[in-house]
Amino acid sequence: MLMFCVLMVLILHMNVHCVYLNWTSHDRPNIVVLVSDAFDGRLTFSPGNKVVQLPYINYMREMGAVFLNSYTNSPICCPSRAAMWSGQFVHLTQAWNNYKCLDPSATTWMAHLGKSGYHTHSMGKLDYTSGHHSVSNRVEAWTRDVPFLLRQEGRPVTDLVGDTSTKRVMTKDWNITDVAVQWIRHTAVSLTQPFALYVGLNLPHPYCTDSLGPTAGGSTFRTSPYWLNKVSYDQVSVPKWLRVEDMHPVDYYSTFTKNCSGHFTEEEIRNIRAFYYAMCAETDSMLGEVIDSLRDTGLLNRTVVLFTSDHGDLAMEHRQFYKMSMFEGSSHVPLLIMGPGVKTGFEISLPVSLVDIYPTVLDLAGVPQPGGLSGHSLIPLVSGVSAQSAEPHPGWVLSEYHGCNANASTYMLRIGEWKYITYADGLTVPPQLFNLSKDESELRNVASHFPDVCQDLDRLLRTVVDYPSVSQAVHRYNKQQFLEWKQNLGDSYSQVIANLRWHIDWQEDAQSYERDIEEWLLGESTSGGDGT
C-alpha cells in the first residue's frame, strides 16, 4: 500500500508540471540548453542591448522570457558550471577553484533526463569536473592568502583579424556549432522520443595571449571587422574608476594580479570594450544557427530553448577585465527561455541564479525533483501559472568565490535593490553594500551608512551558509594542496614556481617570495584570507 501511495504521488507530481504547460507525459518538449562563457547578462535587455546587435538574443526576448537579474553562483568557469550541472551551491559541491569541482560520477540534470526517457546529447565546453586548467591557475588560487602582490595575467589587449567578410573568428566554437546543427538536422529530427541537447561555447571568453606562453590566461580580445561593425561605437562607454586609494582591498588585489594597475588610455579602454561586444555578437550568431536549424526542421515549436553563461566579463569596469568579482559585469549572466508554455515578451525582475536551471529543466520534462537542490524551478515564473507542487523562489541569490585573483573568500547576497558582499570570516575584511537602484555602476559602497541593512542581510546569508566556517575550510584546503604539490616537486620546486604566470614579478625577488610562502605554510590563520 505504501509503494502504491508513493507511486501515485510521483505520477501526480509529473502530471501537474506537464498539464499546467499544456503538455502530457507522452508529449514532453525537446530541450536545448546553450551556454556561452563570459557573456555579460546586461546586454540582453535595455539599455545594454543598444551597444551591439544581438538579433537572436532579441528574438528570444520577443518569443519568450528574459530574466533581468540572473546571476552566476560563482564568477569563474568551473565552479559556476559545477553549480549549474549539480543544482547545488558552491559550498555544497566544494568547487573551490577551476581545478577542484565535481566528481565525474556526479548526478546531473542531464543524467536525470536520460533516465526519464529523453535522448540526451552534450557537445562543446562542459568544464564542471575536477582536474582542469593550468598548474599556474591552481597554484595562484592556493596561494591567494600569501601576503604578496604578483601580476598573474597578461595585460588586456585587442587583436583585429581578417576583414569585413571574416565571420568565423572563433573556429573551435563554430565547429561545435556546426556539429550541433548537423545533429539537429540529421538525428534529432528523426527521433521518436524527446531530446535534450547541451551546447557549450567558449566565446566571448577572451583568448590566450600567445606571447605569454602556453599557460597564459585569456587577456586578448580578438575579433574581425565584420563583428566590430555590429557594435555602436558611440554607445561604448568608458567606465568611471575609483581612485586606487579608495578601492576595496580585495578589489585592488584583483586589479593588480589581473595586470590592470598600470595606465590605460581612454581609447584602449573603449577598444577593449568594443572588441568584447563584437565577440558577444559572434556568440549570438552561433545561437542563431542553432535556432534556425530547429525552425528549418519544424522542431522549434516543440522545443524549449534556454540561453545562459557561466559568468560575465568586467571588460575594464572597476579597473579590471575577466571575472572573479561580484560586480555586475562579472556576476550578472544572461538567462533567456523560449518555447511551448513560456510567455512571450516577458521580463522577470526577481533575482535568480544558475542553480535554478537544474530544477527548471526537470520541471520542463515532468521529472520529479530530487532532494538537496539549492535552486528552484523557474517554470512558474515564465509560464504565468503556478504549480501547486513547486516551492516558490525565495527572491534572493547567493554567489561565492574562492579562487585566484581574489585574496579572500567572497560571498554575495542579492535581494531587492541591495547587493551585500562579505569576505572571509565577516570581521577581518570590510563588507560592501551597493544599492543597485541608485548606483548601477557600483561605485558607492554604503555599508557604513546602512549598518542595519548589512546586519539583516548578513543574518540572512548565515541562514544559507556558515560562511566563516567555509572560508576556513577553503584556507585549510589551499595549504594542504599547495604543500602536497610542493613536496611532489622535490628539488625542482624553486624552478617550477618561479616560471608560472607570475614569473616576471617573481624573478625580481624570488627568495623573498619563497620565504613569504614558507611563513604562510607555517602560520595559523583564523580568517581564511585577510584581504591584504
Side-chain angles (χ1 to χ4, degrees):
M1 184 66 181
L2 177 60
M3 287 301 297
F4 175 77
C5 292
V6 171
L7 181 60
M8 288 302 295
V9 168
L10 292 179
I11 292 173
L12 287 172
H13 180 95
M14 180 175 289
N15 284 343
V16 164
H17 291 289
C18 292
V19 169
Y20 82 81
L21 289 178
N22 299 317
W23 305 323
T24 69
S25 57
H26 302 291
D27 188 28
R28 296 183 290 174
N30 305 310
I31 300 170
V32 173
V33 177
L34 193 147
V35 177
S36 69
D37 194 309
F39 200 111
D40 185 344
R42 298 171 300 176
L43 296 177
T44 61
F45 51 85
S46 295
N49 62 354
K50 290 181 171 58
V51 74
V52 58
Q53 297 173 33
L54 303 171
Y56 287 96
I57 283 175
N58 289 337
Y59 175 77
M60 287 194 68
R61 287 184 61 215
E62 294 170 4
M63 301 304 296
V66 58
F67 288 85
L68 305 179
N69 293 292
S70 50
Y71 289 87
T72 179
N73 298 108
S74 187
I76 194 171
C77 303
C78 198
S80 170
R81 293 167 185 267
M84 181 186 66
W85 280 98
S86 69
Q88 293 185 314
F89 290 137
V90 169
H91 62 274
L92 300 177
T93 65
Q94 297 186 5
W96 302 138
N97 55 53
N98 261 350
Y99 180 70
K100 175 151 185 343
C101 290
L102 297 185
D103 186 272
S105 62
T107 301
T108 66
W109 49 265
M110 190 67 97
H112 278 292
L113 293 182
K115 292 177 182 177
S116 73
Y118 270 72
H119 183 103
T120 61
H121 193 56
S122 298
M123 62 185 70
K125 186 171 185 175
L126 299 177
D127 201 17
Y128 64 86
T129 54
S130 294
H132 303 283
H133 298 273
S134 68
V135 172
S136 190
N137 184 276
R138 67 191 74 151
V139 172
E140 292 158 13
W142 295 335
T143 58
R144 65 193 189 130
D145 291 342
V146 181
F148 53 45
L149 277 174
L150 298 165
R151 289 173 292 174
Q152 300 170 3
E153 309 286 353
R155 178 185 169 96
V157 295
T158 58
D159 181 26
L160 189 65
V161 299
D163 54 33
T164 54
S165 65
T166 305
K167 298 176 65 174
R168 295 193 166 211
V169 179
M170 184 23 151
T171 54
K172 184 176 180 180
D173 277 354
W174 278 111
N175 291 339
I176 291 166
T177 303
D178 291 342
V179 172
V181 167
Q182 291 303 310
W183 187 87
I184 290 169
R185 294 185 185 277
H186 298 292
T187 300
V189 73
S190 60
L191 293 173
T192 58
Q193 64 192 115
F195 67 83
L197 172 65
Y198 176 92
V199 182
L201 303 176
N202 199 64
L203 273 182
H205 190 295
Y207 294 75
C208 291
T209 302
D210 297 334
S211 61
L212 299 178
T215 65
S219 58
T220 296
F221 291 82
R222 178 176 298 139
T223 193
S224 70
Y226 179 88
W227 297 113
L228 206 55
N229 286 338
K230 308 295 183 184
V231 178
S232 299
Y233 204 81
D234 60 338
Q235 296 289 321
V236 179
S237 64
V238 175
K240 294 181 180 179
W241 291 348
L242 294 175
R243 297 183 305 168
V244 169
E245 55 267 33
D246 295 330
M247 294 178 72
H248 187 277
V250 176
D251 294 334
Y252 177 73
Y253 178 89
S254 298
T255 290
F256 193 96
T257 57
K258 291 178 182 178
N259 205 355
C260 290
S261 59
H263 175 70
F264 289 84
T265 65
E266 284 197 7
E267 183 180 11
E268 280 183 285
I269 297 168
R270 197 184 299 274
N271 282 340
I272 289 170
R273 292 172 66 74
F275 276 55
Y276 170 70
Y277 296 142
M279 293 160 68
C280 291
E282 188 176 1
T283 309
D284 178 83
S285 186
M286 296 174 190
L287 170 65
E289 292 288 320
V290 174
I291 292 175
D292 285 346
S293 66
L294 291 169
R295 182 189 297 110
D296 294 345
T297 53
L299 292 170
L300 189 58
N301 62 353
R302 291 185 282 131
T303 303
V304 174
V305 180
L306 187 152
F307 172 71
T308 189
S309 181
D310 55 357
H311 51 73
D313 193 297
L314 287 162
M316 301 311 292
E317 292 181 15
H318 302 280
R319 204 184 184 98
Q320 297 180 42
F321 78 112
Y322 241 13
K323 52 270 187 176
M324 302 109 163
S325 166
M326 295 303 171
F327 287 127
E328 289 289 284
S330 167
S331 65
H332 196 141
V333 298
L335 183 54
L336 301 102
I337 305 176
M338 73 174 189
V342 179
K343 295 180 71 173
T344 60
F346 197 43
E347 295 185 344
I348 301 101
S349 59
L350 188 78
V352 299
S353 64
L354 293 181
V355 290
D356 296 325
I357 289 177
Y358 194 122
T360 298
V361 171
L362 296 193
D363 230 0
L364 285 168
V367 177
Q369 307 283 340
L373 296 183
S374 302
H376 297 75
S377 174
L378 303 176
I379 296 304
L381 297 177
V382 300
S383 67
V385 180
S386 63
Q388 293 179 357
S389 59
E391 183 180 350
H393 199 286
W396 52 260
V397 297
L398 167 69
S399 189
E400 53 189 294
Y401 183 67
H402 309 283
C404 60
N405 295 116
N407 57 338
S409 285
T410 308
Y411 307 85
M412 183 268 279
L413 191 71
R414 172 79 165 89
I415 183 171
E417 62 188 354
W418 298 109
K419 178 187 285 188
Y420 175 65
I421 307 171
T422 188
Y423 300 88
D425 58 3
L427 298 172
T428 53
V429 183
Q432 291 171 291
L433 180 69
F434 299 100
N435 186 321
L436 296 186
S437 66
K438 299 178 180 179
D439 179 24
E440 292 182 357
S441 299
E442 298 172 289
L443 294 173
R444 297 191 296 276
N445 175 16
V446 295
S448 61
H449 299 286
F450 296 94
D452 292 344
V453 173
C454 289
Q455 290 174 10
D456 289 344
L457 295 180
D458 193 80
R459 192 178 300 114
L460 174 59
L461 176 61
R462 289 173 188 259
T463 66
V464 182
V465 53
D466 179 6
Y467 69 83
S469 296
V470 171
S471 300
Q472 267 296 300
V474 176
H475 183 73
R476 290 191 297 268
Y477 161 82
N478 286 342
K479 277 192 175 183
Q480 176 188 5
Q481 292 297 306
F482 182 86
L483 189 58
E484 290 179 6
W485 175 76
K486 177 177 182 290
Q487 292 171 342
N488 287 336
L489 288 174
D491 294 340
S492 64
Y493 164 72
S494 293
Q495 179 183 1
V496 172
I497 198 169
N499 286 283
L500 298 180
R501 292 195 302 193
W502 53 32
H503 63 94
I504 294 176
D505 289 349
W506 184 278
Q507 292 172 2
E508 291 181 358
D509 196 352
Q511 290 184 341
S512 175
Y513 294 131
E514 281 198 43
R515 190 163 53 248
D516 289 337
I517 288 177
E518 292 305 310
E519 292 176 358
W520 165 69
L521 288 172
L522 294 172
E524 293 295 328
S525 172
T526 58
S527 67
D530 59 10
T532 57

